[in-house]
């Protein structure tokens, strides 16, 4: 059986630029939205909810749609009702999975779907359906990659008990503190994703249960994808059968697993990062180097360590050499290390190409720094023939600050100008997107009733089209 953790086979092409979806104005309406309704033993409310959803989409949704009922190993009459609905309603698909798990159902259906926008909602329809078009509109327009309903965003109207309110807010607070998330509501059962994003992001999502939503959002956010939030009207389902304690423990294990993977760089998120060509920050102004804030921060760290090393070397060498000789030798040794460190960490120049040239240019910068510091020492000795060691150190600190500022300007505008790739840190993958489109089969597009069986995961699909 192919699972969400299956190894990738054929890496898809790199992500394209976001763009509005092309929707023809004539002819049969193409399927733009695939709405998944994951269910497990929901024979009591399934028919009412699906008919209500179908009526809403038929009357109020301006694009072609499909409703996919994903039955997670139900043991009651849920799948029988689902297959009957496929015969009575157009654009309804019933999918049977022999293993339980909401995340597994969403992963399977979203991976197989051919719709450019793929969404899901809870079968109890706790979320007001009027939020559905605002949910998918940013994806259709090309503005966003993923859209989520939020019960915690400003403007949301929520009816639920204090226990669930406390659990929800505590969980999202935990995510903000541990995984540094910025989205407000991880587990609202009302989400949508662009198809091209799903095909590349889903192979990285391992969880097959309730943590699926959170893992998907965390990886998307860390990859720099745009997540759109829609404040929703939401009424708690009093008949909810989610077992809170085991679910909470599983979520905590998921937080630990994802946090560890992010900390160790085990996830190839660089393959998913935009630029897709549509980010205005990717359009550099002519003649203006990029990444000033990051380069300045890196240079300050390297400069601080170099200065400490320089002062230590000078103090040691000063015991056996004169002030000028100790200054020159200490500055030379630290200049070589400073150039190498800034080349790799501040300006992110990798490989051996140009390393000799960069060191040679760095020595010219060293000569300028030597002139500044040596001149400062000479001026001090002219003013006081035998200055105390503390005075020498104070003069050298001031002179080195001036030399450091000049070194940064020369590094940025001369030695490493145009060579900052702004790329990933060492060891970070920059290859094409990993993974494969699991279950690339799509529901049958022809009319009539049909049952499909997949030897890979044992799922069956029922569909009747109008």
């Amino acid at each position: 059986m192919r699972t969400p953790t299956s190894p990738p086979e054929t890496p898809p092409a790199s992500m394209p630029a976001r763009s509005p979806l092309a929707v023809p104005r004539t002819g049969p309406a193409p399927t733009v939205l695939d709405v998944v309704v994951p269910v497990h033993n929901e024979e009591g409310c399934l028919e009412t909810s699906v008919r209500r959803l179908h009526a809403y989409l038929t009357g109020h949704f301006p694009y072609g749609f499909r409703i996919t009922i994903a039955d997670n190993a139900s043991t009651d009459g849920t799948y029988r009702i689902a297959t009957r609905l496929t015969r009575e309603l157009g654009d309804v698909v019933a999918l049977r999975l022999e293993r339980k798990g909401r995340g597994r159902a969403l992963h399977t259906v979203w991976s197989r779907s051919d719709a450019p926008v793929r969404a899901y909602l809870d079968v109890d329809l706790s979320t007001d359906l009027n939020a559905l078009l605002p949910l998918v509109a940013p994806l259709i327009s090309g503005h966003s990659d993923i859209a989520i309903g939020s019960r915690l965003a400003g403007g949301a109207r929520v009816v639920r008990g204090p226990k669930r309110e406390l659990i929800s807010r505590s969980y999202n607070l935990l995510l903000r503190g541990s995984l540094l998330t910025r989205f407000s509501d991880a587990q609202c059962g009302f989400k949508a994703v662009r198809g091209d994003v799903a095909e590349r992001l889903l192979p990285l999502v391992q969880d097959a249960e309730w943590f699926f939503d959170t893992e998907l959002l965390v990886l998307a956010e860390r990859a720099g994808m745009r997540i759109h939030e829609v404040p929703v009207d939401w009424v708690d389902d009093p008949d909810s059968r989610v077992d809170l304690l085991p679910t909470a423990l599983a979520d905590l294990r998921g937080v630990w697993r994802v946090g560890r993977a992010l900390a160790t760089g085990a996830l190839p998120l660089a393959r998913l990062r935009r630029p897709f060509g549509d980010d205005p920050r990717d359009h550099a102004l002519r003649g203006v180097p990029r990444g000033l804030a990051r380069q300045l921060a890196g240079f300050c760290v390297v400069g601080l360590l170099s200065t400490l090393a320089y002062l230590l070397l000078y103090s040691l060498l000063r015991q056996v050499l004169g002030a000028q000789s100790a200054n020159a030798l200490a500055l030379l040794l630290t200049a070589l290390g400073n150039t190498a460190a800034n080349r790799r960490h501040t300006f992110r120049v990798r490989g051996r190409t140009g390393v000799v040239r960069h060191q040679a240019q760095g020595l010219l910068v060293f000569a300028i720094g030597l002139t500044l510091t040596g001149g400062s020492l000479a001026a001090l000795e002219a003013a006081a023939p035998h200055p105390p060691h503390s005075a020498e150190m104070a003069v050298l600190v001031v002179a080195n600050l001036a030399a450091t500022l000049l070194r940064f300007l020369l590094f940025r505008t001369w030695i490493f100008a145009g060579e900052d790739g702004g790329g990933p840190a060492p060891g970070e993958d920059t290859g094409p997107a990993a993974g494969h489109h699991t279950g690339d089969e799509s529901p049958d597009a022809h009319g009539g009733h049909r049952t499909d069986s997949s030897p890979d995961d044992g799922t069956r699909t029922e569909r009747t089209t109008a």
Side-chain angles (χ1 to χ4, degrees), residues 99-123:
R99 298 179 63 194
K100 186 180 176 182
R102 184 182 70 169
R104 180 175 291 107
L106 294 176
H107 191 288
T108 301
V109 179
W110 279 358
S111 296
R112 293 180 170 192
S113 178
D114 57 355
V117 176
R118 302 158 199 184
Y120 94 89
L121 47 80
D122 291 336
V123 68

Side-chain angles (χ1 to χ4, degrees), residues 394-407:
V395 167
L396 288 174
V397 168
V398 174
N400 266 287
L401 288 175
T404 297
L405 176 61
L406 181 61
R407 184 184 303 117

Side-chain angles (χ1 to χ4, degrees), residues 314 318 323-324 371-399:
Y314 177 82
R318 186 65 178 86
Q324 292 287 2
T371 301
L372 285 174
T373 55
S376 300
L377 282 175
L380 176 63
E381 292 174 351
H386 300 288
H389 184 66
S390 59
E392 288 182 352
M393 297 296 287
V395 167
L396 288 174
V397 168
V398 174

Side-chain angles (χ1 to χ4, degrees), residues 140-426:
I140 294 174
S141 70
H143 176 271
S144 301
D145 301 297
I146 295 178
I148 65 174
S150 175
R151 299 160 295 187
L152 302 178
R157 302 172 191 172
V158 178
V159 178
R160 61 177 166 183
K163 179 181 178 181
R164 287 188 175 273
E165 182 76 12
L166 176 62
I167 292 174
S168 178
R169 291 187 178 275
S170 299
Y171 179 69
N172 285 281
L173 184 62
L174 171 67
L175 294 179
R176 287 177 176 267
S178 59
L179 299 179
L180 304 180
T181 59
R182 296 188 299 274
F183 49 83
S184 64
D185 191 351
Q187 291 190 317
C188 179
F190 196 71
K191 294 182 175 67
V193 60
R194 283 178 64 103
D196 53 358
V197 173
E199 290 167 4
R200 290 158 175 82
L201 190 58
L202 288 177
L204 300 180
V205 180
Q206 297 183 24
D207 192 81
E209 304 292 338
W210 295 98
F211 188 68
F212 173 89
D213 300 53
T214 302
E215 186 170 1
L216 181 80
L217 292 177
V218 170
L219 298 186
E221 188 174 74
R222 287 299 185 96
M225 294 182 177
R226 180 175 288 162
I227 300 175
H228 178 76
E229 295 197 14
V230 178
V232 297
D233 297 342
W234 195 86
V235 179
D236 192 15
D237 176 19
D239 190 39
S240 176
R241 284 163 283 174
V242 178
D243 200 337
L244 293 180
L245 182 58
T247 301
L249 294 177
D251 286 346
L252 291 176
R253 288 193 296 268
V255 170
W256 169 256
R257 174 176 55 79
V258 172
R260 182 177 58 184
L262 292 173
T264 59
L267 293 168
L269 296 182
R271 297 173 176 176
L272 301 174
R273 285 194 179 100
R274 300 194 185 269
F276 292 96
D278 59 352
D279 191 332
R281 295 171 297 180
D282 299 327
H283 302 286
L285 298 177
R286 182 174 299 176
V288 179
R290 300 173 58 193
L292 175 60
R294 178 187 56 76
Q295 291 175 355
L296 188 58
F299 183 83
C300 288
V301 173
V302 173
L304 176 61
L305 296 177
S306 297
T307 300
L308 293 176
Y310 163 78
L311 294 175
L312 178 61
L313 284 173
Y314 177 82
S315 297
L316 295 175
L317 295 171
R318 186 65 178 86
Q319 299 177 15
V320 295
L321 299 174
Q324 292 287 2
S325 299
N327 172 63
L329 186 55
L331 197 59
L332 173 61
L333 294 175
T334 53
L336 293 173
N338 182 280
T339 300
N342 277 305
R343 180 180 189 271
R344 180 172 182 81
H345 299 290
T346 302
F347 298 95
R348 296 185 178 180
V349 181
R350 304 289 189 258
R352 298 185 179 183
T353 303
V355 64
V356 176
R357 174 173 58 85
H358 293 153
Q359 283 291 357
Q361 292 172 317
L363 289 177
L364 293 178
V365 177
F366 153 74
I368 298 175
L370 179 61
T371 301
L372 285 174
T373 55
S376 300
L377 282 175
L380 176 63
E381 292 174 351
H386 300 288
H389 184 66
S390 59
E392 288 182 352
M393 297 296 287
V395 167
L396 288 174
V397 168
V398 174
N400 266 287
L401 288 175
T404 297
L405 176 61
L406 181 61
R407 184 184 303 117
F408 176 74
L409 294 175
L410 291 175
F411 276 176
R412 180 173 168 81
T413 61
W414 176 41
I415 298 179
F416 302 115
E419 298 198 41
D420 178 21

Side-chain angles (χ1 to χ4, degrees), residues 25-170:
R25 295 181 177 273
T26 59
T31 299
V32 173
L33 174 67
D34 191 350
V35 183
V36 184
V37 183
V39 291
H40 174 73
N41 292 343
E42 297 288 356
E43 62 180 3
C45 68
L46 176 61
E47 182 168 0
T48 301
S49 295
V50 171
R51 289 188 180 277
R52 176 183 164 195
L53 174 61
H54 186 271
Y56 177 85
L57 290 172
T58 302
H60 302 285
F61 193 72
Y63 303 101
F65 65 89
R66 177 169 62 240
I67 299 173
T68 301
I69 305 171
D71 178 22
N72 301 308
S74 293
T75 57
D76 60 2
T78 296
Y79 189 65
R80 175 180 49 80
I81 296 173
T83 55
R84 177 166 54 81
L85 290 172
T86 66
R87 295 190 294 269
E88 298 177 3
L89 301 175
D91 300 307
V92 174
V93 176
L95 179 72
R96 168 75 178 181
L97 289 89
E98 300 302 330
R99 298 179 63 194
K100 186 180 176 182
R102 184 182 70 169
R104 180 175 291 107
L106 294 176
H107 191 288
T108 301
V109 179
W110 279 358
S111 296
R112 293 180 170 192
S113 178
D114 57 355
V117 176
R118 302 158 199 184
Y120 94 89
L121 47 80
D122 291 336
V123 68
D124 56 23
L125 300 186
S126 294
T127 304
D128 184 4
L129 292 177
N130 286 327
L132 186 57
L133 185 56
L135 183 80
V136 302
L139 309 185
I140 294 174
S141 70
H143 176 271
S144 301
D145 301 297
I146 295 178
I148 65 174
S150 175
R151 299 160 295 187
L152 302 178
R157 302 172 191 172
V158 178
V159 178
R160 61 177 166 183
K163 179 181 178 181
R164 287 188 175 273
E165 182 76 12
L166 176 62
I167 292 174
S168 178
R169 291 187 178 275
S170 299

